[in-house]
Amino acid sequence: MDRNLSTVFDADHDDLVEHFERATYRGREYFYLPDERHGVERGTVVAGCAVVRGFPSIPRVLVLEPGVPDFFDGPVTVEEKLNGYNVRIARVDGDVLAFTRSGYVCPFTTSLAADYPLDSFFDEYPDTVVCGELIGPENPYTTHDYAEVDEAALRVFDLRDRESGEPMAVERRRERCDAYDLSTVPAFGTHEPDAAVDAIREAIADLDEQGREGVVVKSEDGERALKYTTSAIHRADLAHAFDKPFDYGQQFMFARVIREAFQSVEFGEDEATARERAREMGESVLLPAIESIRAVEDGSTIGDTHTVRGDPATIESLLNRFRAVGLHLDIEEDTYEDDERVVRFTKVADASRDKINHLLSGGTIDE
Ligand code: ATP
Ligand code: MG
């Protein structure tokens, strides 16, 4: 690592360096931090002379009142929380690279980034990291669909100093993105903290109806942020987890049960509405699990299915990476359309399949 990290982080240099993992992208060496250490964010990257800080974790509130007014002491902007995957895009030694949350250079996302007018942006702001959510169909990580998005698309929610991780003020950031034709996440206005509670409730009701994820509430300087999510996404997450019930921890379920319970209380639901919420939540857990047990019984593959398209070398390197980290891929379609390679594959949920097979054949469980 040719960068002395003690000039960047307030942490013991030797100890921190030890925790970075080495990786390469097109022959270029870089280092990433797979877990948070000494207050340095997970996903922090050192590549040549550049340091790109990891994207910080955003705390969650379970009740908007008094959660929001207690957390902020000035006006807040309410932004939509989009459900895709987190990407950070920076220009390192002349190349625009896209990093995943864990700090790995994703060849697929890096290739998508080339479709955005980022070169002129980085000419002007070389030390900025563009942080956004990659949403839409045909991506290798998430399966949530947005009616208005018909291909993988970037929505920017932060411009940060890549070395210090300092965010830009929200309004300035939105203006700067507009100036460079970078699409930003939708927003629901700026409000005083007390008034924000009602604005968020309205936004959440609307988003819930459309099956969308939720909001991230931010202080004007961008320094403080809170997230809050819809019942629709709690159910969608549960359904997504329970169609491979043994691949996700029980923690995952517990967190969502608790979010639903607090939301029901805060929304002042009557008995019938709470009962309806309970029924819908039960269905989103149980029905996908039942369907998956049937699928395994029939010998079908279970897991998440994705389609990706791109230049053949990019797609090859993405699939190689997935296999290298131990994912078991079932390739369902592998074709060429013009110069692009199009692959539909399932990330096979081996743990769930094996456990379901074991139980279906009368195996025992220790509980
Ligand atoms: P963590 O708890 O570490 O943040 P996570 O991936 O589980 O991890 P999420 O619950 O998905 O976190 O919420 C945070 C993520 O939401 C961000 O990392 C970012 O990718 C995404 N996001 C979507 N829209 C926004 C937005 N408007 N502002 C900030 N983040 C957003
Ligand atoms: Mg997310």
Side-chain angles (χ1 to χ4, degrees):
M1 209 181 287
D2 55 5
R3 182 71 200 265
N4 184 348
L5 297 185
S6 49
T7 60
V8 182
F9 307 114
D10 260 354
D12 179 273
H13 177 249
D14 291 340
D15 192 48
L16 189 58
V17 165
E18 225 172 75
H19 296 292
F20 275 82
E21 307 253 345
R22 181 183 171 280
T24 57
Y25 176 72
R26 300 202 162 165
R28 174 212 300 264
E29 183 179 57
Y30 67 98
F31 298 85
Y32 65 96
L33 193 61
D35 296 298
E36 194 212 312
R37 297 276 168 183
H38 306 288
V40 180
E41 305 82 7
R42 168 169 97 94
T44 295
V45 174
V46 181
C49 282
V51 171
V52 183
R53 299 292 286 255
F55 190 79
S57 190
I58 299 174
R60 173 187 298 278
V61 272
L62 295 198
V63 290
L64 295 166
E65 171 71 62
V68 172
D70 276 3
F71 191 79
F72 296 100
D73 49 19
V76 295
T77 299
V78 180
E79 288 190 330
E80 181 171 359
K81 182 180 198 300
L82 292 172
N83 183 21
Y85 62 99
N86 181 297
V87 297
R88 283 167 293 144
I89 305 173
R91 188 156 73 186
V92 176
D93 297 333
D95 291 329
V96 174
L97 302 178
F99 301 94
T100 62
R101 192 82 198 271
S102 62
Y104 152 72
V105 179
C106 172
F108 178 81
T109 318
T110 296
S111 156
L112 286 181
D115 295 339
Y116 289 85
L118 288 163
D119 266 315
S120 54
F121 179 90
F122 287 122
D123 284 346
E124 205 62 41
Y125 308 107
D127 300 325
T128 296
V129 54
V130 176
C131 308
E133 198 79 350
L134 219 301
I135 56 168
E138 300 205 336
N139 84 69
Y141 302 108
T142 55
T143 53
H144 190 101
D145 275 330
Y146 286 96
E148 75 278 17
V149 181
D150 59 8
E151 56 179 11
L154 174 71
R155 296 288 182 268
V156 178
F157 51 67
D158 246 323
L159 297 177
R160 292 180 175 249
D161 179 84
R162 66 183 190 192
E163 189 157 312
S164 68
E166 268 300 295
M168 182 178 288
V170 174
E171 199 181 329
R172 193 153 160 242
R173 179 242 302 165
R174 297 187 72 91
E175 283 167 8
R176 186 164 294 178
C177 287
D178 288 348
Y180 284 84
D181 274 338
L182 295 171
S183 302
T184 53
V185 290
F188 305 95
T190 300
H191 315 267
E192 289 299 330
D194 284 320
V197 171
D198 280 340
I200 297 168
R201 285 199 181 131
E202 249 171 65
I204 285 288
D206 211 37
L207 293 170
D208 187 49
E209 193 124 304
Q210 299 174 61
R212 297 170 80 108
E213 184 174 19
V215 296
V216 180
V217 186
K218 297 178 181 175
S219 60
E220 284 181 304
D221 60 8
E223 295 274 359
R224 285 171 77 69
L226 268 187
K227 61 192 180 197
Y228 185 82
T229 46
T230 61
S231 182
I233 204 73
H234 302 156
R235 291 195 305 272
D237 283 354
L238 286 169
H240 185 245
F242 276 82
D243 67 7
K244 33 193 147 13
F246 299 103
D247 281 54
Y248 284 89
Q250 296 176 9
Q251 284 274 324
F252 188 88
M253 163 120 158
F254 179 74
R256 282 154 187 85
V257 172
I258 295 300
R259 287 175 205 169
E260 283 291 282
F262 277 90
Q263 193 166 80
S264 175
V265 171
E266 177 165 32
F267 289 6
E269 288 177 348
D270 59 19
E271 151 100 33
T273 314
R275 195 168 283 283
E276 174 68 7
R277 184 189 284 270
R279 188 184 58 78
E280 286 187 343
M281 186 178 168
E283 285 182 359
S284 63
V285 176
L286 214 45
L287 297 180
I290 291 170
E291 208 170 297
S292 285
I293 295 170
R294 291 218 169 101
V296 172
E297 194 171 37
D298 292 346
S300 314
T301 300
I302 56 169
D304 289 337
T305 302
H306 302 266
T307 300
V308 287
R309 75 175 60 230
D311 81 86
T314 299
I315 300 300
E316 188 62 22
S317 116
L318 176 78
L319 298 177
N320 285 343
R321 158 78 187 185
F322 279 166
R323 292 190 177 105
V325 297
L327 286 180
H328 170 187
L329 304 184
D330 196 35
I331 308 289
E332 268 127 42
E333 203 176 304
D334 193 346
T335 55
Y336 286 82
E337 282 176 24
D338 302 320
D339 291 342
E340 291 186 320
R341 183 173 170 197
V342 184
V343 181
R344 195 177 76 229
F345 62 93
T346 297
K347 295 178 181 165
V348 181
D350 283 317
S352 289
R353 185 205 48 206
D354 294 350
K355 189 94 183 196
I356 290 170
N357 267 325
H358 166 75
L359 294 170
L360 275 174
S361 61
T364 58
I365 195 165
D366 287 334
E367 59 188 22

